[in-house]
Amino acid sequence: MAKLNQCQSCGMPMKKSGEFGTEKGGTPSEKYCHHCYQNGEWVHPDASFDEFYAFSLKKFQESDMNRIEKFFLNKMYTKKFLKKLERWR
Ligand SMILES: [Zn+2]
C-alpha cells in the first residue's frame, strides 16, 4: 500500500518532490509541504491557527483546481479538519 504523504501543517497532498518542504541542509521533509516548511523552519512561524487556516484556504482556492474540486474543497477544508493535523493537535 502506497503511503499517502499529506502535509501535517496545512493538509496538502504531496506527490511531486517540489511539493515537499525541506529540512535544514535541504533534505526533503516527509511531513510538511514547501508552503509551510523550508530549511527546517516554518514559513509562517507567527501565524495563529485562524490566520493560518485563512491563508491555506486561499492558497488552495488559487491553485489549479477545477470548479468541482473547489466545491468539495470548501466543504471539506474546515478548521476541524486542520485541527486533526499533527502541527495543530
Ligand atoms: Zn503545508
Side-chain angles (χ1 to χ4, degrees):
M1 203 169 85
K3 194 174 135 218
L4 175 74
N5 284 299
Q6 183 184 40
C7 175
Q8 290 301 308
S9 166
C10 72
M12 184 177 95
M14 304 181 290
K15 293 170 234 128
K16 292 171 275 180
S17 60
E19 291 170 346
F20 290 85
T22 48
E23 301 290 350
K24 243 190 174 86
T27 44
S29 165
E30 285 191 6
K31 273 191 188 172
Y32 304 114
C33 77
H34 68 123
H35 294 289
C36 297
Y37 195 66
Q38 284 175 20
N39 250 319
E41 286 172 24
W42 297 116
V43 175
H44 306 281
D46 302 324
S48 69
F49 177 79
D50 286 336
E51 284 166 351
F52 185 83
Y53 171 76
F55 169 81
S56 295
L57 186 60
K58 196 161 164 268
K59 180 186 81 199
F60 281 118
Q61 282 166 343
E62 285 169 355
S63 67
D64 56 352
M65 287 180 181
N66 64 38
R67 279 179 52 205
I68 294 167
E69 284 171 328
K70 281 185 183 170
F71 173 81
F72 283 108
L73 170 81
N74 285 329
K75 286 211 175 296
M76 289 170 66
Y77 199 71
T78 58
K79 289 186 183 179
K80 210 172 147 191
F81 166 78
L82 204 62
K83 279 245 162 81
K84 285 189 187 149
L85 299 172
E86 222 173 278
R87 183 179 178 186
W88 310 106
R89 259 177 220 157

Coordinates of all heavy atoms in Angstrom, one line a residue:
M1 N 0.8 -1.2 0.0 CA 0.0 0.0 0.0 C 0.9 1.3 0.0 O 1.8 1.4 0.8 CB -0.9 0.0 1.2 CG -2.1 0.8 1.1 SD -3.3 0.6 2.4 CE -2.7 1.7 3.6
A2 N 0.6 2.1 -0.9 CA 1.4 3.3 -1.0 C 1.1 4.3 0.2 O -0.1 4.4 0.5 CB 1.2 4.0 -2.3
K3 N 2.1 4.9 0.7 CA 1.9 5.8 1.8 C 1.5 7.2 1.2 O 2.1 7.7 0.3 CB 3.2 5.9 2.6 CG 3.0 6.6 3.9 CD 4.4 6.6 4.7 CE 4.6 7.9 5.3 NZ 6.0 8.3 5.2
L4 N 0.4 7.7 1.8 CA 0.0 9.0 1.4 C 0.7 10.0 2.2 O 0.6 10.1 3.4 CB -1.5 9.1 1.5 CG -2.1 10.5 1.2 CD1 -2.1 10.8 -0.3 CD2 -3.5 10.7 1.8
N5 N 1.4 10.9 1.5 CA 2.1 12.0 2.2 C 1.2 13.2 2.1 O 0.9 13.7 1.1 CB 3.4 12.3 1.5 CG 4.4 11.3 1.9 OD1 4.8 11.1 3.1 ND2 5.0 10.6 0.9
Q6 N 0.7 13.6 3.3 CA -0.1 14.8 3.4 C 0.6 15.7 4.4 O 1.0 15.3 5.4 CB -1.5 14.3 3.9 CG -2.5 15.4 4.0 CD -3.8 15.0 4.6 OE1 -3.8 14.2 5.6 NE2 -4.9 15.4 4.1
C7 N 0.7 17.0 4.0 CA 1.3 17.9 4.9 C 0.6 18.0 6.2 O -0.6 18.1 6.3 CB 1.3 19.3 4.2 SG 2.0 20.6 5.3
Q8 N 1.4 17.8 7.3 CA 0.8 17.7 8.6 C 0.7 19.1 9.2 O 0.4 19.3 10.4 CB 1.7 16.9 9.6 CG 1.6 15.4 9.2 CD 0.2 14.8 9.3 OE1 -0.5 15.0 10.3 NE2 -0.3 14.2 8.2
S9 N 0.8 20.1 8.4 CA 0.5 21.5 8.8 C -0.7 22.1 8.1 O -1.6 22.7 8.7 CB 1.8 22.4 8.5 OG 1.5 23.7 8.7
C10 N -0.8 21.9 6.8 CA -1.9 22.5 6.0 C -2.8 21.5 5.4 O -3.9 21.8 4.9 CB -1.4 23.5 5.0 SG -0.6 22.7 3.6
G11 N -2.4 20.2 5.3 CA -3.2 19.2 4.7 C -3.0 19.0 3.2 O -3.8 18.1 2.7
M12 N -2.1 19.7 2.6 CA -1.9 19.5 1.2 C -1.4 18.1 0.9 O -0.4 17.7 1.5 CB -1.0 20.6 0.6 CG -0.8 20.5 -0.9 SD 0.2 21.8 -1.5 CE 1.8 21.0 -1.6
P13 N -1.9 17.4 -0.1 CA -1.3 16.1 -0.5 C 0.0 16.4 -1.3 O 0.0 17.3 -2.1 CB -2.4 15.5 -1.4 CG -3.3 16.5 -1.8 CD -3.1 17.7 -0.9
M14 N 1.0 15.6 -1.0 CA 2.3 15.9 -1.6 C 2.7 14.7 -2.5 O 2.8 13.6 -1.9 CB 3.4 16.2 -0.5 CG 3.0 17.3 0.4 SD 4.2 17.6 1.6 CE 4.1 16.2 2.7
K15 N 2.9 14.9 -3.7 CA 3.3 13.8 -4.6 C 4.6 14.1 -5.3 O 5.5 13.3 -5.2 CB 2.2 13.7 -5.7 CG 0.9 13.1 -5.1 CD -0.2 13.2 -6.2 CE -1.4 14.0 -5.7 NZ -1.9 15.0 -6.5
K16 N 4.7 15.3 -5.9 CA 6.0 15.6 -6.6 C 7.0 16.1 -5.6 O 6.6 16.7 -4.6 CB 5.7 16.7 -7.7 CG 4.9 16.2 -8.8 CD 4.5 17.4 -9.7 CE 3.2 18.1 -9.2 NZ 2.7 19.2 -9.9
S17 N 8.3 15.9 -6.0 CA 9.3 16.3 -5.0 C 9.3 17.7 -4.7 O 9.7 18.1 -3.6 CB 10.7 15.8 -5.5 OG 10.9 16.5 -6.7
G18 N 8.9 18.6 -5.6 CA 8.9 20.0 -5.4 C 7.9 20.5 -4.4 O 7.9 21.6 -3.9
E19 N 6.9 19.6 -4.1 CA 5.9 19.9 -3.1 C 6.2 19.7 -1.7 O 5.6 20.2 -0.8 CB 4.6 19.1 -3.5 CG 4.0 19.6 -4.8 CD 2.9 18.6 -5.3 OE1 2.7 17.5 -4.8 OE2 2.2 19.1 -6.2
F20 N 7.3 18.9 -1.5 CA 7.7 18.6 -0.1 C 8.5 19.8 0.5 O 9.3 20.5 -0.3 CB 8.6 17.4 -0.1 CG 7.8 16.1 -0.3 CD1 7.6 15.7 -1.7 CD2 7.4 15.3 0.7 CE1 6.9 14.5 -1.9 CE2 6.7 14.2 0.4 CZ 6.4 13.8 -0.9
G21 N 8.4 20.0 1.7 CA 9.2 21.0 2.4 C 10.6 20.5 2.6 O 10.9 19.4 2.2
T22 N 11.5 21.3 3.1 CA 12.9 20.9 3.3 C 13.4 21.1 4.7 O 13.0 22.0 5.4 CB 13.9 21.6 2.4 OG1 13.6 23.0 2.5 CG2 13.7 21.2 0.9
E23 N 14.2 20.1 5.2 CA 14.9 20.3 6.5 C 16.1 21.1 6.3 O 16.5 21.4 5.2 CB 15.3 18.9 7.0 CG 14.2 17.9 7.1 CD 13.3 18.2 8.3 OE1 13.6 19.1 9.1 OE2 12.2 17.6 8.4
K24 N 16.7 21.5 7.4 CA 18.0 22.3 7.3 C 19.0 21.5 6.5 O 19.1 20.3 6.8 CB 18.5 22.5 8.7 CG 18.6 23.9 9.1 CD 19.3 24.1 10.4 CE 19.5 25.6 10.7 NZ 18.4 26.2 11.4
G25 N 19.6 22.1 5.5 CA 20.5 21.3 4.7 C 19.9 20.8 3.4 O 20.6 20.4 2.6
G26 N 18.6 20.9 3.3 CA 17.9 20.7 2.0 C 17.3 19.3 1.8 O 16.8 19.0 0.8
T27 N 17.4 18.4 2.9 CA 16.8 17.1 2.7 C 15.3 17.3 2.7 O 14.8 18.1 3.5 CB 17.2 16.1 3.8 OG1 17.2 16.8 5.0 CG2 18.5 15.5 3.5
P28 N 14.5 16.6 1.9 CA 13.1 16.8 1.8 C 12.4 16.3 3.1 O 12.8 15.3 3.7 CB 12.6 15.9 0.6 CG 13.9 15.3 0.0 CD 15.0 15.6 0.9
S29 N 11.4 17.0 3.5 CA 10.6 16.7 4.7 C 9.5 15.7 4.3 O 8.9 16.0 3.2 CB 10.1 17.9 5.3 OG 9.0 17.5 6.3
E30 N 9.3 14.7 5.0 CA 8.2 13.8 4.7 C 6.9 14.3 5.3 O 5.8 13.8 5.0 CB 8.5 12.4 5.2 CG 9.5 11.7 4.4 CD 9.6 10.2 4.7 OE1 8.8 9.7 5.6 OE2 10.5 9.5 4.2
K31 N 7.0 15.2 6.2 CA 5.8 15.6 6.9 C 5.1 16.9 6.4 O 3.9 17.1 6.6 CB 6.1 15.8 8.4 CG 6.1 14.6 9.2 CD 6.2 14.9 10.7 CE 6.3 13.7 11.5 NZ 6.6 14.1 12.9
Y32 N 5.9 17.8 6.0 CA 5.4 19.1 5.7 C 5.7 19.6 4.2 O 6.7 19.2 3.6 CB 6.0 20.2 6.6 CG 5.7 19.8 8.1 CD1 6.8 19.5 8.9 CD2 4.5 19.8 8.6 CE1 6.6 19.1 10.2 CE2 4.2 19.4 9.9 CZ 5.3 19.1 10.7 OH 5.1 18.7 12.0
C33 N 4.8 20.4 3.7 CA 5.0 20.8 2.3 C 5.8 22.1 2.2 O 6.1 22.7 3.2 CB 3.6 21.1 1.7 SG 2.8 22.6 2.2
H34 N 6.2 22.5 1.0 CA 7.1 23.6 0.8 C 6.4 25.0 1.1 O 7.0 26.0 1.3 CB 7.7 23.6 -0.6 CG 6.7 23.9 -1.6 ND1 6.8 25.0 -2.5 CD2 5.5 23.3 -2.0 CE1 5.7 24.9 -3.4 NE2 5.0 24.0 -3.0
H35 N 5.0 25.0 1.2 CA 4.4 26.2 1.6 C 4.5 26.5 3.1 O 4.4 27.6 3.5 CB 2.9 26.1 1.3 CG 2.5 26.0 -0.2 ND1 2.7 27.1 -1.1 CD2 2.1 25.0 -0.9 CE1 2.4 26.7 -2.3 NE2 2.0 25.4 -2.2
C36 N 4.7 25.4 3.8 CA 4.7 25.5 5.3 C 6.1 25.5 5.9 O 6.3 26.1 6.9 CB 3.9 24.4 5.9 SG 2.2 24.4 5.4
Y37 N 7.0 24.7 5.3 CA 8.2 24.4 5.9 C 9.4 24.4 5.0 O 9.4 23.7 4.0 CB 8.0 22.9 6.5 CG 9.0 22.4 7.5 CD1 9.1 23.0 8.8 CD2 9.8 21.4 7.2 CE1 10.0 22.6 9.7 CE2 10.7 20.9 8.2 CZ 10.8 21.5 9.4 OH 11.6 21.0 10.3
Q38 N 10.3 25.2 5.2 CA 11.5 25.3 4.4 C 12.8 25.5 5.2 O 12.8 26.3 6.1 CB 11.4 26.5 3.4 CG 10.4 26.2 2.3 CD 10.2 27.4 1.4 OE1 11.0 28.4 1.4 NE2 9.1 27.4 0.6
N39 N 13.8 24.7 4.9 CA 15.1 24.8 5.6 C 15.0 24.6 7.1 O 15.6 25.2 7.9 CB 15.7 26.2 5.3 CG 16.9 26.1 4.5 OD1 17.7 25.2 4.6 ND2 17.0 27.0 3.5
G40 N 14.1 23.6 7.4 CA 13.9 23.3 8.8 C 13.1 24.3 9.6 O 13.1 24.2 10.9
E41 N 12.5 25.3 9.0 CA 11.7 26.3 9.7 C 10.4 26.5 9.1 O 10.2 26.3 7.9 CB 12.5 27.6 9.7 CG 13.7 27.6 10.6 CD 14.5 28.9 10.4 OE1 14.0 29.9 9.9 OE2 15.7 28.8 10.7
W42 N 9.4 26.9 9.9 CA 8.1 27.3 9.4 C 8.2 28.5 8.5 O 8.9 29.5 8.8 CB 7.1 27.6 10.6 CG 6.9 26.4 11.5 CD1 7.2 26.3 12.8 CD2 6.3 25.2 11.1 NE1 6.9 25.1 13.3 CE2 6.3 24.4 12.3 CE3 5.7 24.7 10.0 CZ2 5.7 23.1 12.3 CZ3 5.2 23.4 10.0 CH2 5.2 22.6 11.1
V43 N 7.4 28.5 7.4 CA 7.4 29.6 6.6 C 6.6 30.8 7.2 O 6.9 32.0 7.1 CB 6.7 29.3 5.2 CG1 6.6 30.5 4.3 CG2 7.6 28.2 4.5
H44 N 5.6 30.4 8.0 CA 4.8 31.5 8.7 C 4.8 31.2 10.2 O 3.8 30.7 10.8 CB 3.4 31.5 8.2 CG 3.3 31.7 6.7 ND1 3.4 32.9 6.1 CD2 3.1 30.8 5.8 CE1 3.3 32.7 4.8 NE2 3.1 31.4 4.6
P45 N 6.0 31.4 10.9 CA 6.1 31.0 12.3 C 5.2 31.7 13.2 O 4.8 31.2 14.3 CB 7.6 31.2 12.6 CG 8.0 32.2 11.6 CD 7.2 32.0 10.4
D46 N 4.8 32.9 12.9 CA 4.0 33.7 13.8 C 2.5 33.7 13.6 O 1.7 34.3 14.3 CB 4.4 35.2 13.7 CG 5.9 35.4 14.0 OD1 6.4 34.6 14.9 OD2 6.5 36.2 13.4
A47 N 2.1 32.9 12.5 CA 0.6 32.9 12.2 C -0.1 32.1 13.3 O 0.3 31.1 13.7 CB 0.4 32.2 10.9
S48 N -1.2 32.7 13.7 CA -2.1 32.0 14.6 C -2.9 30.9 13.8 O -2.8 30.9 12.6 CB -3.1 33.0 15.2 OG -4.0 33.4 14.3
F49 N -3.5 30.0 14.6 CA -4.3 29.0 13.9 C -5.3 29.6 12.9 O -5.4 29.1 11.7 CB -5.0 28.1 14.9 CG -5.8 27.0 14.3 CD1 -5.3 25.9 13.8 CD2 -7.2 27.2 14.2 CE1 -6.1 24.9 13.2 CE2 -8.0 26.2 13.6 CZ -7.4 25.1 13.1
D50 N -6.0 30.6 13.3 CA -7.1 31.2 12.4 C -6.4 31.8 11.2 O -7.0 31.7 10.1 CB -7.9 32.2 13.2 CG -8.8 31.5 14.1 OD1 -9.2 30.4 13.9 OD2 -9.3 32.2 15.1
E51 N -5.3 32.5 11.4 CA -4.7 33.2 10.3 C -4.1 32.1 9.3 O -4.2 32.3 8.1 CB -3.5 34.0 10.8 CG -3.9 35.3 11.4 CD -2.8 36.0 12.2 OE1 -1.7 35.3 12.4 OE2 -2.9 37.1 12.6
F52 N -3.6 31.1 9.9 CA -3.0 30.0 9.0 C -4.1 29.3 8.2 O -4.0 29.0 7.0 CB -2.3 29.0 9.9 CG -1.6 28.0 9.0 CD1 -0.3 28.2 8.5 CD2 -2.2 26.7 8.8 CE1 0.3 27.3 7.7 CE2 -1.5 25.8 8.0 CZ -0.3 26.1 7.4
Y53 N -5.3 29.1 8.9 CA -6.4 28.5 8.2 C -6.8 29.3 7.0 O -7.0 28.8 5.9 CB -7.6 28.3 9.1 CG -8.8 27.9 8.4 CD1 -9.0 26.6 8.0 CD2 -9.9 28.8 8.2 CE1 -10.1 26.2 7.3 CE2 -11.0 28.4 7.6 CZ -11.1 27.1 7.1 OH -12.3 26.7 6.5
A54 N -7.0 30.6 7.2 CA -7.4 31.5 6.1 C -6.4 31.6 5.0 O -6.7 31.5 3.8 CB -7.6 32.9 6.7
F55 N -5.2 31.6 5.4 CA -4.1 31.6 4.4 C -4.1 30.3 3.6 O -3.9 30.4 2.3 CB -2.7 31.8 5.2 CG -1.5 31.6 4.3 CD1 -1.1 32.6 3.5 CD2 -0.8 30.4 4.3 CE1 0.1 32.4 2.7 CE2 0.3 30.1 3.6 CZ 0.7 31.2 2.7
S56 N -4.2 29.2 4.2 CA -4.2 27.9 3.5 C -5.4 27.7 2.6 O -5.2 27.3 1.4 CB -4.1 26.8 4.5 OG -2.9 26.8 5.2
L57 N -6.5 28.1 3.1 CA -7.7 28.0 2.2 C -7.6 28.8 1.0 O -7.9 28.4 -0.1 CB -8.9 28.5 3.0 CG -10.3 28.3 2.4 CD1 -10.6 26.8 2.1 CD2 -11.4 28.8 3.2
K58 N -7.0 30.0 1.1 CA -6.8 30.9 -0.1 C -5.8 30.3 -1.0 O -6.0 30.3 -2.2 CB -6.3 32.2 0.4 CG -6.4 33.4 -0.6 CD -6.3 34.7 0.1 CE -5.9 35.8 -0.9 NZ -4.5 36.1 -1.0
K59 N -4.8 29.7 -0.5 CA -3.7 29.0 -1.3 C -4.4 27.9 -2.1 O -4.1 27.8 -3.3 CB -2.7 28.5 -0.3 CG -1.5 27.8 -1.0 CD -0.6 27.1 0.0 CE -1.2 25.8 0.5 NZ -0.6 25.4 1.8
F60 N -5.2 27.1 -1.5 CA -5.9 26.0 -2.2 C -6.8 26.6 -3.3 O -6.9 26.1 -4.4 CB -6.7 25.1 -1.3 CG -5.8 24.1 -0.5 CD1 -5.7 24.2 0.8 CD2 -5.1 23.2 -1.2 CE1 -5.0 23.3 1.5 CE2 -4.3 22.3 -0.5 CZ -4.2 22.3 0.9
Q61 N -7.5 27.6 -2.9 CA -8.5 28.2 -3.9 C -7.8 28.8 -5.1 O -8.4 28.8 -6.2 CB -9.4 29.3 -3.2 CG -10.4 28.6 -2.4 CD -11.1 29.6 -1.4 OE1 -10.5 30.7 -1.1 NE2 -12.2 29.3 -0.9
E62 N -6.6 29.2 -4.9 CA -5.9 29.9 -6.0 C -5.1 28.8 -6.8 O -4.5 29.2 -7.9 CB -4.9 30.9 -5.5 CG -5.6 32.2 -5.1 CD -4.8 33.1 -4.3 OE1 -3.6 32.8 -4.0 OE2 -5.3 34.2 -4.0
S63 N -5.0 27.6 -6.4 CA -4.3 26.6 -7.1 C -5.1 26.1 -8.3 O -6.3 26.5 -8.5 CB -4.0 25.4 -6.2 OG -5.2 24.7 -5.8
D64 N -4.6 25.3 -9.2 CA -5.2 25.0 -10.4 C -6.2 23.8 -10.3 O -6.2 22.8 -11.0 CB -4.2 24.7 -11.6 CG -3.3 23.6 -11.1 OD1 -3.3 23.1 -10.0 OD2 -2.5 23.1 -12.0
M65 N -7.2 24.0 -9.4 CA -8.3 23.0 -9.3 C -9.4 23.4 -10.2 O -9.6 24.6 -10.5 CB -8.8 23.0 -7.9 CG -7.9 22.4 -6.9 SD -8.7 22.5 -5.3 CE -7.4 21.8 -4.3
N66 N -10.2 22.4 -10.6 CA -11.4 22.7 -11.4 C -12.5 23.1 -10.4 O -12.4 23.0 -9.2 CB -11.8 21.6 -12.3 CG -12.2 20.3 -11.6 OD1 -12.8 20.4 -10.5 ND2 -11.8 19.2 -12.1
R67 N -13.7 23.5 -10.9 CA -14.7 24.1 -10.1 C -15.3 23.0 -9.1 O -15.7 23.3 -8.0 CB -15.9 24.6 -11.0 CG -15.5 26.0 -11.5 CD -16.6 26.6 -12.4 NE -18.0 26.5 -11.7 CZ -19.1 26.4 -12.4 NH1 -19.1 26.4 -13.7 NH2 -20.2 26.4 -11.8
I68 N -15.4 21.8 -9.6 CA -15.9 20.7 -8.8 C -15.0 20.4 -7.6 O -15.4 20.3 -6.5 CB -16.1 19.4 -9.6 CG1 -17.2 19.7 -10.6 CG2 -16.6 18.3 -8.7 CD1 -17.4 18.7 -11.7
E69 N -13.7 20.4 -7.9 CA -12.7 20.2 -6.8 C -12.8 21.3 -5.8 O -12.7 21.1 -4.6 CB -11.3 20.1 -7.4 CG -11.0 18.8 -8.0 CD -9.7 18.7 -8.8 OE1 -9.3 19.8 -9.3 OE2 -9.1 17.7 -8.9
K70 N -13.0 22.5 -6.3 CA -13.1 23.7 -5.4 C -14.3 23.6 -4.5 O -14.3 24.0 -3.4 CB -13.0 25.0 -6.1 CG -11.6 25.3 -6.5 CD -11.4 26.6 -7.2 CE -9.9 26.8 -7.6 NZ -9.6 27.9 -8.4
F71 N -15.4 23.1 -5.1 CA -16.6 23.0 -4.4 C -16.4 22.0 -3.2 O -16.8 22.3 -2.1 CB -17.7 22.4 -5.3 CG -19.0 22.1 -4.6 CD1 -19.9 23.1 -4.3 CD2 -19.3 20.8 -4.3 CE1 -21.1 22.8 -3.7 CE2 -20.5 20.4 -3.7 CZ -21.4 21.4 -3.4
F72 N -15.8 20.9 -3.4 CA -15.5 19.9 -2.4 C -14.5 20.5 -1.4 O -14.6 20.2 -0.2 CB -15.1 18.6 -2.9 CG -16.2 17.8 -3.5 CD1 -16.4 17.6 -4.8 CD2 -17.2 17.3 -2.6 CE1 -17.5 17.0 -5.3 CE2 -18.3 16.6 -3.1 CZ -18.4 16.4 -4.5
L73 N -13.5 21.2 -1.9 CA -12.5 21.8 -1.0 C -13.2 22.7 0.0 O -12.9 22.6 1.2 CB -11.5 22.6 -1.8 CG -10.6 23.5 -1.0 CD1 -9.4 22.7 -0.5 CD2 -10.1 24.7 -1.8
N74 N -14.1 23.5 -0.4 CA -14.8 24.5 0.5 C -15.6 23.7 1.5 O -15.8 24.2 2.6 CB -15.6 25.5 -0.3 CG -14.8 26.5 -1.0 OD1 -13.7 26.9 -0.5 ND2 -15.2 27.0 -2.1
K75 N -16.1 22.6 1.2 CA -16.9 21.8 2.1 C -16.0 21.0 3.1 O -16.3 20.9 4.3 CB -17.7 20.7 1.4 CG -18.9 21.3 0.7 CD -20.0 20.2 0.7 CE -21.3 20.8 0.1 NZ -21.9 21.9 0.8
M76 N -14.8 20.6 2.6 CA -14.0 19.7 3.4 C -12.9 20.4 4.2 O -12.4 19.9 5.2 CB -13.4 18.6 2.5 CG -14.4 17.6 2.1 SD -13.7 16.5 0.8 CE -12.5 15.7 1.8
Y77 N -12.4 21.5 3.6 CA -11.3 22.1 4.3 C -11.8 23.1 5.4 O -11.9 24.3 5.2 CB -10.4 22.9 3.2 CG -9.1 23.2 3.7 CD1 -8.1 22.2 3.9 CD2 -8.7 24.5 4.1 CE1 -6.9 22.4 4.4 CE2 -7.4 24.7 4.6 CZ -6.5 23.7 4.7 OH -5.3 23.9 5.2
T78 N -12.0 22.5 6.5 CA -12.6 23.2 7.6 C -11.5 23.3 8.7 O -10.5 22.6 8.7 CB -13.8 22.5 8.2 OG1 -13.4 21.2 8.6 CG2 -14.9 22.4 7.2
K79 N -11.8 24.1 9.7 CA -10.9 24.3 10.9 C -10.8 22.9 11.6 O -9.8 22.6 12.2 CB -11.4 25.4 11.8 CG -11.2 26.7 11.2 CD -11.5 27.8 12.2 CE -11.4 29.2 11.5 NZ -11.7 30.3 12.3
K80 N -11.9 22.2 11.6 CA -11.9 20.9 12.3 C -11.0 20.0 11.6 O -10.2 19.2 12.3 CB -13.4 20.3 12.2 CG -13.7 19.4 13.3 CD -15.2 19.1 13.2 CE -15.5 17.7 13.7 NZ -16.8 17.3 13.4
F81 N -10.9 20.0 10.3 CA -10.0 19.2 9.5 C -8.6 19.5 9.9 O -7.7 18.7 10.1 CB -10.3 19.3 8.0 CG -9.2 18.8 7.2 CD1 -9.1 17.4 6.9 CD2 -8.3 19.7 6.6 CE1 -8.0 17.0 6.1 CE2 -7.2 19.2 5.8 CZ -7.1 17.8 5.5
L82 N -8.3 20.8 9.9 CA -6.9 21.3 10.1 C -6.4 20.9 11.5 O -5.3 20.6 11.7 CB -6.9 22.8 9.9 CG -5.5 23.4 9.5 CD1 -5.0 22.9 8.2 CD2 -5.6 25.0 9.5
K83 N -7.3 21.0 12.5 CA -7.0 20.7 13.8 C -6.5 19.2 14.0 O -5.9 18.9 15.0 CB -8.2 20.9 14.7 CG -8.4 22.4 15.1 CD -8.2 22.6 16.6 CE -8.0 24.1 17.0 NZ -9.2 24.8 17.0
K84 N -6.9 18.4 13.1 CA -6.5 17.0 13.2 C -5.1 16.7 12.8 O -4.5 15.7 13.1 CB -7.4 16.1 12.3 CG -8.8 15.9 12.9 CD -9.5 14.9 12.1 CE -11.0 14.8 12.5 NZ -11.8 14.5 11.4
L85 N -4.5 17.7 12.1 CA -3.1 17.5 11.6 C -2.1 17.7 12.8 O -2.4 18.4 13.8 CB -2.8 18.5 10.5 CG -3.7 18.4 9.3 CD1 -3.5 19.5 8.3 CD2 -3.5 17.0 8.6
E86 N -1.0 17.1 12.6 CA 0.0 17.0 13.7 C 0.4 18.3 14.3 O 0.6 18.5 15.5 CB 1.2 16.3 13.2 CG 1.8 15.3 14.1 CD 3.0 14.5 13.4 OE1 2.6 13.6 12.7 OE2 4.1 14.9 13.6
R87 N 0.6 19.3 13.4 CA 1.1 20.6 13.9 C 0.1 21.3 14.9 O 0.5 22.0 15.8 CB 1.3 21.5 12.7 CG 1.9 22.9 13.1 CD 2.1 23.8 11.9 NE 2.6 25.1 12.3 CZ 2.8 26.1 11.5 NH1 2.6 26.0 10.2 NH2 3.3 27.3 12.0
W88 N -1.2 21.0 14.7 CA -2.2 21.7 15.5 C -2.9 20.9 16.6 O -3.8 21.3 17.2 CB -3.3 22.3 14.5 CG -2.7 23.0 13.4 CD1 -2.6 22.5 12.1 CD2 -2.1 24.3 13.4 NE1 -2.0 23.4 11.3 CE2 -1.7 24.5 12.1 CE3 -1.9 25.2 14.4 CZ2 -1.0 25.7 11.7 CZ3 -1.3 26.4 14.0 CH2 -0.8 26.6 12.7
R89 N -2.4 19.7 16.8 CA -3.0 18.8 17.8 C -2.8 19.3 19.2 O -1.7 19.9 19.5 CB -2.4 17.4 17.7 CG -3.4 16.5 17.0 CD -2.8 15.2 16.8 NE -3.1 14.6 15.5 CZ -2.3 13.7 14.8 NH1 -1.3 13.2 15.4 NH2 -2.7 13.3 13.6
Ligands
ZN1 ZN 1.7 22.5 4.2

